[in-house]
Amino acid sequence: MTRSESGPPGPRAGGSPGSIAGDLEPCWSCGAPVAQRALFCHACGAIQPPRALDPFARLGMERRFDLDPAQLARQHAGFGRALDPQRFAAKGLREQANAKAQADALHEAFETLRDPVRRAHALLALLGGDASSAAHESDPDDDVATLTGALSAAAADGAALDRLGLDIAGRIESCIKYLGPAFAKALADPEKPDPAKTGAAARILARLEGLEALATEAAARRAILSAPRT
């Protein structure tokens, strides 16, 4: 990885004071133009503060739902080596602070992209969609409602909770599987998002979040039943 790498260009999320035309910002140290995605200034080598980037651009990953976990981990590790605190031990306080801020921003981007729900929300944000709005606008999910009732009925039955947990886990896996092609269609023309296709992805995400909430509740109830009695 070269010292200026930090992912492919993404759309500007609003210019900052003193911004230069395009996706360039002035280097805080020498004033030379620096790409928003660059970690270091090409002119003087000073590490830059993190800019407003989406997590895909920050980690140099393609904007898609079906990411390769190994590639994501490699990207994160590569940036981590470039931002090793020992490399900045002899630098000034500003560069040390910038290095830490960059590392924190990269870690947050990594945590976002490795989690299917957070990754889907990040893609929806880029497309102008909203899973919470989709959940309110769409018809109630009959399967989730049925599972909610089954969870209430199985509150004191460990075996029933185990079966229900497996059922919910399978449905969660299906939702994650369906999100891939749904987002592929929604991202086919990112310059002109199709509200219908974006809405379809948002509805699957809303269902996924409902199922994950049920899975968490089922696991919590199972833990209570398994806790040793005093």
Side-chain angles (χ1 to χ4, degrees):
M1 177 182 299
T2 64
R3 71 180 187 178
S4 62
E5 284 183 309
S6 67
R12 281 183 68 94
S16 60
S19 62
I20 302 172
D23 71 339
L24 302 179
E25 302 281 349
C27 170
W28 65 269
S29 180
C30 71
V34 182
Q36 283 192 317
R37 65 191 184 278
L39 293 178
F40 299 91
C41 174
H42 295 276
C44 70
I47 187 166
Q48 302 299 297
R51 313 295 188 182
L53 296 172
D54 69 76
F56 297 90
R58 195 173 298 282
L59 279 166
M61 300 295 293
E62 183 181 356
R63 288 177 176 174
R64 54 182 297 168
F65 183 78
D66 293 326
L67 294 180
D68 179 358
Q71 182 187 5
L72 177 61
R74 286 194 298 271
Q75 288 290 96
H76 184 239
F79 285 121
R81 288 191 293 271
L83 296 170
D84 186 335
Q86 292 186 352
R87 296 187 59 185
F88 303 92
K91 301 288 185 179
L93 294 179
R94 175 120 186 218
E95 289 206 68
Q96 292 177 16
N98 284 349
K100 183 180 185 307
Q102 286 280 13
D104 290 345
L106 286 162
H107 180 71
E108 177 63 18
F110 175 69
E111 291 296 320
T112 295
L113 294 189
R114 75 172 182 169
D115 178 78
V117 171
R118 294 180 64 183
R119 182 165 70 247
H121 274 291
L123 284 172
L124 273 184
L126 290 169
L127 291 166
D130 184 356
S132 61
S133 295
H136 289 303
E137 294 170 1
S138 60
D139 295 332
D141 191 312
D142 291 338
D143 286 344
V144 172
T146 299
L147 290 169
T148 300
L151 179 58
S152 297
D157 186 335
L161 283 172
D162 289 340
R163 290 193 298 271
L164 187 59
L166 289 173
D167 185 9
I168 295 171
R171 293 169 189 265
I172 287 173
E173 289 183 7
S174 294
C175 276
I176 292 173
K177 179 181 178 181
Y178 293 141
L179 274 173
F183 272 115
K185 292 178 181 178
L187 290 162
D189 186 358
E191 297 300 322
K192 297 180 180 179
D194 184 334
K197 295 176 181 177
T198 300
R203 286 189 292 274
I204 297 173
L205 175 55
R207 174 181 170 81
L208 173 59
E209 290 188 295
L211 290 169
E212 289 208 331
L214 284 175
T216 299
E217 179 63 20
R221 294 189 182 193
R222 191 65 180 88
I224 292 173
L225 290 180
S226 302
R229 298 183 182 277
T230 56

